[in-house]
């Protein structure tokens, strides 16, 4: 013990009860600490054992399973035959437990035993126990009932969460340099009154001019005298800065693979919540502002009061409790908060709110939020963090972290970890927000450019389906059209623009207009495709890429068919497009052998056609490649799926469209847009004019 540390005066009550710890040995099985319990068990004094091999204490050390286990660094328990100082042997229930120290490479083992040798009716020698505590590499401090320091060991002086190190006679509040000293005092008083220890409580010591920032794992337990009366408490502190930092880095790294797996705002918000429970908090919510639209009705149009306003919408939530007793809002619904509250403060300041000990007493912001205050008390919420979600200059919302069952308050380390997770999620949320906004605009544009109603006149009955892709690629440039021609003929068109997004949708609209213009000129299908190819090349020249070649977004595939109900002839030309399917009135399905032509936009412009005669009631199916192509699957498999779906009976074309989509797409979802156009042939007798 250091010279400046006090020694208990004669007659003072002992603060430790007898224990069954008999010795401490190091990795090479040398005894480095000896207790009165060891002396009673073996009969050796400390000087006879200390710094000597431990194997001399066992009756058969050569084949002792205990020593073999310790040599490999593993704990052991069982019955051991020991050899006492006077030569007698005795069977003893024995335990050897590793003492793992976060800041030390030295491996120690604590030996404890329940001996068959009757113990002497004497108390442990205080000097031996004090020496053991003094040599401990774990920082230990003893406090009296008033929480004033009465003793500390050398490690407690070197490694501690205190501002200037422990000082005898000083109150704990005068020594602490942590973020929340009042909370630690409350914990210490609770341990003193109830006797229930607190283990592995994290304390964050901020950096000062003299000391670096540190994280300590602190355990607190009560000290009782021989009569069971509390005389004080002991705190044990271990520097875990490096290990906790590694743990947080690992959690951030793992969360990076779990957050932002899709470009869906709701899924990303839920991934943030799931990644935080229970690692950081017992309950987490992710609430987004109107800048990320989640509902059709803007929040500002919802009813509000002087004490409750709709500021967010709930986008994600996770809890250790399956029934979510902490929740006041369901996913997708508005979240109402007081106008003046930590939630609105974080939204406006873009700075986190940190309340390690949640104050629910009168006079706080909870006075204006009685419903939330009631839930906080019912679920025993006791610590709170609110972290902003912002990216690229845009405030997206907030993430709320709460603990209920976990008794430890949030620390600055927890806040840093929560901010790290929020930063990663914010970038993913902003990407998803931008994608959703562009996708919504592209969908709107595409729906405006696609025909509202299809009419095949007296030539065909028609039905169609369009399914936008629900992937990172976004909305594509698929289109279809039915164009009435002279002589009761009709043109059937399906095309697919290369690329996705607004550009693809806009290009689709231009190509559809060009095709309609060319169709009015009474051109044959090969001539229409050749004219479309030339015009696309001309349009591309107005917007070349860096190399001067055709921009890929202006490329497209297209199939163009003309059916004449008077002659029952159908002429089909293709520009790099999947072959149409022809279904006979009897249900046989065949894919038209249309001569392959180059895709639109390459300037090759030479196309041939297939002319075939169709029986009345035949079905022509035009589609885009999203219907039949899948990653990792041969295109022939997709064609066979389509063949089977088209052969199935259906009461009408609209029902058949639904059946094809449900059969082909539901079983093997596509990551591309899908356009499907079905036309059933009619026949006109005589001159249509």
């Amino acid at each position: 013990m250091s010279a400046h540390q006090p020694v208990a005066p004669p007659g003072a009550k002992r603060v430790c009860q007898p224990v069954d710890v008999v010795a401490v040995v190091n990795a090479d099985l040398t005894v480095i600490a000896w207790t009165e319990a060891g002396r009673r068990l073996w009969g050796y004094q400390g000087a006879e054992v200390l710094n000597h091999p431990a194997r001399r204490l066992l009756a058969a050390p050569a084949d002792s399973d205990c020593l073999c286990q310790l040599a490999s660094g593993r704990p052991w328990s069982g019955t051991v035959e020991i050899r006492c100082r006077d030569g007698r042997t005795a069977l003893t229930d024995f335990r050897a437990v590793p003492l793992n120290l976060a800041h030390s490479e030295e491996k120690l083992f604590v030996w404890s035993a329940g001996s068959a040798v009757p113990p002497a009716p004497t108390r442990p020698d205080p000097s031996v126990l004090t020496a053991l505590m003094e040599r401990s590499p774990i920082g230990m401090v003893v406090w009296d009932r008033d929480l004033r320091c009465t003793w500390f060991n050398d490690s407690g002086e070197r490694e501690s969460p205190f501002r200037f190190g422990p000082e005898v006679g000083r109150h704990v509040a005068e020594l602490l340099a942590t973020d929340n000293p009042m909370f630690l005092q409350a914990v210490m008083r609770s341990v003193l009154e109830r006797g229930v220890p607190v283990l592995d409580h994290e304390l964050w010591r901020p950096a000062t001019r003299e000391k670096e920032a540190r994280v300590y794992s602190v355990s607190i337990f009560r000290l009782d005298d021989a009569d069971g009366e509390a005389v004080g408490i002991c705190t044990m502190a271990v520097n875990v800065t490096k290990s906790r930092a590694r743990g947080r880095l690992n959690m951030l790294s793992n969360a990076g693979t779990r957050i932002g797996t899709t470009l869906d705002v709701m899924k990303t918000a839920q991934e943030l919540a799931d990644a935080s429970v229970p690692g950081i908090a017992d309950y987490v919510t992710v609430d987004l502002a109107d800048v990320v639209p989640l509902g059709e009705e803007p929040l500002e149009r919802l009813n509000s009061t002087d004490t409750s306003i709709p500021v967010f919408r709930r986008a994600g939530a996770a809890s250790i409790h399956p029934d979510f007793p902490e929740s006041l809002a369901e996913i997708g619904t508005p979240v109402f908060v007081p106008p003046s509250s930590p939630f609105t403060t974080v939204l406006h300041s873009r700075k986190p709110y940190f309340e390690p000990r949640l104050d629910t007493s009168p006079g706080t912001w909870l006075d204006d939020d009685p419903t939330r205050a009631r839930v906080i008390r019912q679920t025993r919420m006791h610590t709170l963090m609110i972290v902003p979600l912002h990216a690229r200059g845009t405030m997206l919302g907030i993430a709320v972290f709460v603990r209920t069952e976990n008794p430890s308050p949030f620390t600055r380390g927890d806040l840093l970890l929560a901010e790290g997770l929020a930063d990663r999620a914010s970038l993913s949320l902003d990407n998803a927000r931008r994608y959703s906004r562009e996708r919504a605009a592209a969908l709107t544009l595409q729906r405006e450019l696609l025909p509202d109603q299809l009419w095949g006149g007296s030539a065909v009955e028609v039905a169609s389906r369009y399914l936008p892709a629900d992937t990172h690629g976004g909305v594509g440039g698929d289109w279809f059209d039915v164009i009435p021609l002279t002589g009761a003929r009709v043109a059937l068109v399906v095309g697919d623009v290369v690329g996705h997004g607004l550009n693809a949708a806009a290009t689709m609209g231009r190509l559809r207009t060009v095709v309609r213009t060319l169709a009015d000129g009474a051109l044959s299908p090969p001539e229409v495709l050749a004219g479309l190819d030339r015009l696309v090349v001309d349009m591309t020249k107005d917007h070349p890429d860096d190399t001067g070649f055709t921009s890929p977004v202006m490329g497209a595939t297209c199939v163009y068919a003309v059916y004449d109900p008077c002659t029952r002839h159908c002429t089909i030309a293709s520009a790099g497009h999947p072959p149409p399917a022809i279904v006979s009135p009897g249900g046989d399905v065949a894919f038209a052998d249309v001569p392959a032509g180059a895709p639109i936009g390459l300037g090759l412009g030479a196309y041939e056609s297939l002319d075939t005669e169709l029986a009345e009631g035949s079905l022509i199916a035009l589609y885009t490649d999203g219907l039949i192509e899948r990653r990792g699957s041969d295109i022939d498999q997709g064609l066979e799926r389509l063949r089977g779906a088209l052969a199935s009976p259906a009461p009408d074309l609209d029902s058949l469209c639904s059946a094809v989509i449900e059969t082909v797409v539901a079983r093997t979802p596509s990551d591309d847009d899908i356009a499907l156009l079905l036309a059933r042939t009619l026949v006109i007798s005589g001159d249509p004019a």
Side-chain angles (χ1 to χ4, degrees):
M1 184 176 296
S2 302
H4 61 275
Q5 297 170 355
V7 178
K13 292 185 177 180
R14 294 190 177 97
V15 297
C16 293
Q17 294 179 322
V19 293
D20 61 351
V21 173
V22 295
V24 177
V25 301
N26 60 17
D28 63 2
L29 305 182
T30 298
V31 179
I32 63 172
W34 191 250
T35 69
E36 176 65 17
R39 187 199 65 76
R40 294 196 311 271
L41 186 59
W42 274 280
Y44 289 106
Q45 299 293 335
E48 299 176 283
V49 179
L50 288 174
N51 300 317
H52 287 77
R55 60 182 64 247
R56 64 181 291 198
L57 302 174
L58 306 180
D63 56 355
S64 171
D65 188 32
C66 170
L67 296 182
C68 293
Q69 292 290 332
L70 294 183
S72 62
R74 293 191 295 268
W76 187 91
S77 63
T79 302
V80 172
E81 185 177 8
I82 66 171
R83 185 178 303 279
C84 300
R85 188 175 186 276
D86 59 6
R88 293 182 299 110
T89 61
L91 293 177
T92 305
D93 294 326
F94 205 78
R95 294 196 310 273
V97 181
L99 179 61
N100 297 316
L101 306 177
H103 61 290
S104 176
E105 297 296 329
E106 185 176 10
K107 195 74 171 180
L108 305 178
F109 297 90
V110 177
W111 283 19
S112 58
S115 173
V117 179
T122 58
R123 297 180 183 272
D125 185 350
S127 62
V128 175
L129 294 179
T130 300
L132 178 62
M133 295 170 63
E134 189 177 74
R135 295 185 59 179
S136 171
I138 298 176
M140 305 176 68
V141 183
V142 175
W143 312 82
D144 64 15
R145 293 183 58 88
D146 295 326
L147 303 186
R148 295 187 178 276
C149 177
T150 62
W151 178 89
F152 57 90
N153 64 0
D154 292 337
S155 296
E157 185 176 19
R158 292 192 306 270
E159 289 287 357
S160 72
F162 304 108
R163 184 179 291 110
F164 305 111
E167 295 182 22
V168 174
R170 299 291 292 273
H171 192 271
V172 64
E174 301 176 75
L175 300 175
L176 282 173
T178 62
D179 290 314
N180 194 18
M182 295 301 295
F183 181 85
L184 184 63
Q185 292 180 67
V187 171
M188 294 174 71
R189 292 198 179 280
S190 175
V191 171
L192 189 63
E193 294 170 2
R194 301 171 57 196
V196 179
V198 172
L199 305 178
D200 197 27
H201 172 74
E202 184 177 301
L203 282 183
W204 179 280
R205 189 187 72 189
T208 64
R209 291 183 178 180
E210 296 82 13
K211 297 181 179 180
E212 298 178 350
R214 294 282 178 86
V215 181
Y216 289 92
S217 172
V218 179
S219 297
I220 308 170
F221 57 92
R222 193 171 74 181
L223 301 174
D224 297 340
D225 63 11
D227 299 323
E229 295 293 328
V231 296
I233 60 175
C234 179
T235 59
M236 303 174 64
V238 177
N239 182 1
V240 295
T241 306
K242 293 183 179 180
S243 60
R244 294 293 164 91
R246 285 194 297 267
R248 291 190 172 101
L249 285 175
N250 289 335
M251 186 172 182
L252 275 176
S253 177
N254 294 333
T257 64
R258 299 173 57 188
I259 300 175
T261 60
T262 69
L263 284 174
D264 183 284
V265 171
M266 301 293 282
K267 289 183 179 179
T268 301
Q270 186 59 48
E271 287 168 348
L272 170 58
D274 291 337
S276 306
V277 174
I280 301 179
D282 297 336
Y283 175 60
V284 172
T285 61
V286 180
D287 301 327
L288 301 180
D290 249 355
V291 68
V292 185
L294 301 179
E296 297 180 0
E297 186 77 7
L299 289 170
E300 61 183 13
R301 295 183 183 177
L302 301 179
N303 294 331
S304 61
T305 66
D306 293 339
T307 59
S308 184
I309 59 175
V311 181
F312 308 99
R313 273 192 171 86
R314 180 65 41 85
S319 173
I320 61 173
H321 303 107
D323 56 346
F324 282 79
E326 312 95 337
S327 183
L328 290 175
E330 297 182 355
I331 302 296
T333 61
V335 177
F336 290 79
V337 299
S340 178
S341 68
F343 310 103
T344 53
T345 299
V346 172
L347 182 66
H348 296 142
S349 69
R350 302 191 179 193
K351 296 180 180 179
Y353 178 83
F354 182 55
E355 192 173 359
R357 189 179 186 186
L358 183 57
D359 188 0
T360 59
S361 61
T364 67
W365 61 274
L366 286 171
D367 290 347
D368 295 328
D369 201 347
T371 303
R372 187 170 274 103
R374 174 177 52 80
V375 172
I376 287 174
R377 295 187 182 96
Q378 288 177 347
T379 59
R380 300 188 301 277
M381 297 182 188
H382 61 88
T383 183
L384 170 69
M385 297 187 298
I386 305 175
V387 178
L389 301 171
H390 54 90
R392 303 181 180 98
T394 301
M395 184 65 186
L396 306 173
I398 60 173
V400 182
F401 300 80
V402 171
R403 282 178 180 169
T404 55
E405 303 299 328
N406 186 340
S408 299
F410 288 127
T411 65
R412 288 289 177 183
D414 295 321
L415 180 60
L416 290 175
L417 179 57
E419 289 182 294
L421 293 176
D423 288 343
R424 297 191 178 208
S426 295
L427 289 174
S428 298
L429 284 170
D430 192 50
N431 290 337
R433 175 184 70 93
R434 291 166 178 252
Y435 163 76
S436 299
R437 184 175 58 189
E438 180 174 328
R439 185 173 187 273
L443 273 174
T444 301
L445 176 61
Q446 192 167 44
R447 286 167 180 162
E448 289 295 324
L449 295 175
L450 289 174
D452 291 332
Q453 293 182 342
L454 298 176
W455 182 64
S458 56
V460 291
E461 297 175 0
V462 291
S464 65
R465 287 291 186 276
Y466 171 73
L467 275 72
D470 188 19
T471 65
H472 296 349
V475 177
D478 293 13
W479 90 92
F480 53 85
D481 208 348
V482 178
I483 308 171
L485 303 175
T486 59
R489 296 175 305 145
V490 65
L492 307 172
V493 189
V494 168
D496 185 358
V497 174
V498 176
H500 294 86
L502 284 171
N503 287 337
T507 301
M508 176 272 291
R510 298 169 72 181
L511 297 189
R512 177 170 176 257
T513 301
V514 171
V515 170
R516 277 189 161 263
T517 302
L518 294 172
D520 287 341
L523 300 176
S524 67
E527 292 172 329
V528 169
L529 294 182
L532 180 62
D533 182 58
R534 288 192 301 271
L535 288 172
V536 168
V537 171
D538 291 340
M539 288 188 293
T540 303
K541 290 179 180 178
D542 296 333
H543 304 282
D545 63 10
D546 294 338
T547 62
F549 290 102
T550 302
S551 174
V553 78
M554 294 299 290
T557 65
C558 183
V559 61
Y560 184 89
V562 174
Y563 174 70
D564 187 340
C566 297
T567 63
R568 294 187 289 110
H569 276 261
C570 183
T571 305
I572 310 171
S574 173
H577 204 81
I582 307 296
V583 185
S584 70
D588 295 329
V589 181
F591 292 98
D593 189 15
V594 183
I600 300 297
L602 298 182
L604 300 179
Y607 300 96
E608 299 178 11
S609 63
L610 169 71
D611 188 79
T612 183
E613 184 175 327
L614 301 178
E616 181 178 4
S618 297
L619 182 69
I620 306 171
L622 307 181
Y623 52 91
T624 55
D625 57 5
L627 185 64
I628 59 171
E629 291 184 356
R630 300 292 184 273
R631 290 182 181 178
S633 177
D634 191 272
I635 191 173
D636 290 337
Q637 296 177 339
L639 292 173
E640 287 305 311
R641 288 192 297 267
L642 178 58
R643 184 196 301 273
L646 290 172
S648 302
D652 52 56
L653 285 185
D654 195 67
S655 299
L656 183 58
C657 270
S658 299
V660 169
I661 295 299
E662 181 178 353
T663 301
V664 178
V665 180
R667 294 180 182 176
T668 55
S670 174
D671 56 3
D672 196 3
D673 287 16
I674 294 174
L676 174 64
L677 177 63
L678 300 182
R680 192 178 301 282
T681 61
L682 303 174
V683 174
I684 297 178
S685 301
D687 187 356

